[in-house]
Amino acid sequence: LAGVMCSASLVVNDGIINSNEWSGEELFISEYVESQSTSDNYIEIYNGTNLPIDLSEYALKINKNNGTDQWSVRLDDNSGDSNNNGILEPGSAIFVLKSDTGDLCNEDYLDCDSGVVQWIEFSNISKYSGDEAIELYKCDGECNIDGDDIIVNGEPIDVIGTPGNDPGGGWDVAGVDEATSEHTLIRADFVTSGNLNWEESAGTNADDSEWIVEDRNMFDYGGSHNNTYCDNFVNITTVSNDAPTATIETPASGLSLVPGAEITLSGSAT
């Protein structure tokens, strides 16, 4: 019948990887929220690779706007009320937030009390207000953070803003003025790894930016991230229901058909 829809599974290979496998290259920052309440500020970090990630080898760093101070946390931190087993599975995200007392953690959004969401309680997440740069670090082994919150054995792999540079109210993103202040930033689905070139990452408009700018206190996308994985299902809808036709390509020896004759075919539909 016309208008009937069915689903078919299709796996595509580009010569390197199948479309049903995670294709991310590294952890990266997938969401940034500068909310009305600092209790709801959060950074989301996403694993788009095809391997479980040991979070002890990663750290998040907040840089004071004038570059004179910093606050860092290892991503395997499970202090306070954190819910963190130290491993981030493929396709999963971890949140760094101030506490579970804000709107973000209630059952309408992350539902932190459910135990399903992986998150770190980090009181210094309240230190950023739109003009502090955020860096994600990859370390050589377990991250070593000294007494001054300097990550001594790692290198940044992703960044929001420019460390040591005070932009004023905030950095422009995707053509939106001061978008790192009083907005939610969501990483575009084509991004598969971090970008240390903030000017390139921020872009000048919605088409060339790696970020989608949403209104402040937009928490709807927290807990999941659309990226790098194809479920391989293709929806097929019939347009018309035409009568079947059959073609005899190699006539059998002695076969003779006249108008009105019947012939029986056996085979399978394609």
Side-chain angles (χ1 to χ4, degrees), residues 27-31 42-47 55 58 60 74-78 82-89 91-97 110 117-121 136 223-224:
L27 297 191
F28 60 86
I29 301 170
S30 51
E31 196 164 339
Y42 73 87
I43 303 295
E44 178 188 270
I45 295 159
Y46 177 74
N47 179 14
L55 293 174
Y58 295 83
L60 191 72
R74 245 170 55 170
L75 293 190
D76 66 336
D77 187 280
N78 63 356
S82 302
N83 179 42
N84 187 9
N85 63 11
I87 300 294
L88 193 60
E89 298 293 335
S92 296
I94 186 168
F95 298 85
V96 183
L97 48 89
L110 295 184
V117 176
Q118 200 164 340
W119 61 281
I120 297 170
E121 183 179 71
L136 176 63
S224 63

Side-chain angles (χ1 to χ4, degrees), residues 75-153:
L75 293 190
D76 66 336
D77 187 280
N78 63 356
S79 60
D81 292 329
S82 302
N83 179 42
N84 187 9
N85 63 11
I87 300 294
L88 193 60
E89 298 293 335
S92 296
I94 186 168
F95 298 85
V96 183
L97 48 89
K98 181 179 178 181
S99 73
D100 59 353
T101 59
D103 293 336
L104 171 67
C105 269
N106 70 35
E107 60 185 13
D108 293 331
Y109 297 109
L110 295 184
D111 194 8
C112 294
D113 290 339
S114 68
V116 175
V117 176
Q118 200 164 340
W119 61 281
I120 297 170
E121 183 179 71
F122 182 52
S123 61
N124 284 325
I125 206 74
S126 63
K127 298 292 188 183
Y128 76 81
S129 57
D131 58 353
E132 284 80 23
I134 311 292
E135 292 178 289
L136 176 63
Y137 271 69
K138 172 70 180 291
C139 299
D140 182 12
E142 291 188 356
C143 289
N144 180 9
I145 301 174
D146 70 13
D148 293 322
D149 271 354
I150 295 173
I151 304 165
V152 299
N153 64 330

Side-chain angles (χ1 to χ4, degrees), residues 1 27 39 43 68 99 123 130 135 154 172 187 189 245:
L1 298 177
L27 297 191
S39 294
I43 303 295
T68 59
S99 73
S123 61
E135 292 178 289
D172 299 347
R187 211 67 177 264
D189 58 10
T245 59

Side-chain angles (χ1 to χ4, degrees), residues 147-225:
D148 293 322
D149 271 354
I150 295 173
I151 304 165
V152 299
N153 64 330
E155 297 291 337
I157 58 174
D158 201 8
V159 67
I160 294 175
T162 304
N165 177 23
D166 186 352
W171 284 277
D172 299 347
V173 181
V176 178
D177 292 343
E178 299 184 351
T180 55
S181 176
E182 301 184 1
H183 288 89
T184 293
L185 305 182
I186 301 168
R187 211 67 177 264
D189 58 10
F190 62 82
V191 177
T192 59
S193 64
N195 189 347
L196 294 177
N197 185 332
W198 170 243
E199 183 176 344
E200 177 184 84
S201 176
T204 59
N205 56 60
D207 293 328
D208 66 12
S209 178
E210 292 185 1
W211 298 90
I212 300 166
V213 181
E214 297 282 0
D215 292 338
R216 197 178 203 184
N217 296 342
M218 168 62 77
F219 307 140
D220 293 356
Y221 301 100
S224 63
H225 183 64

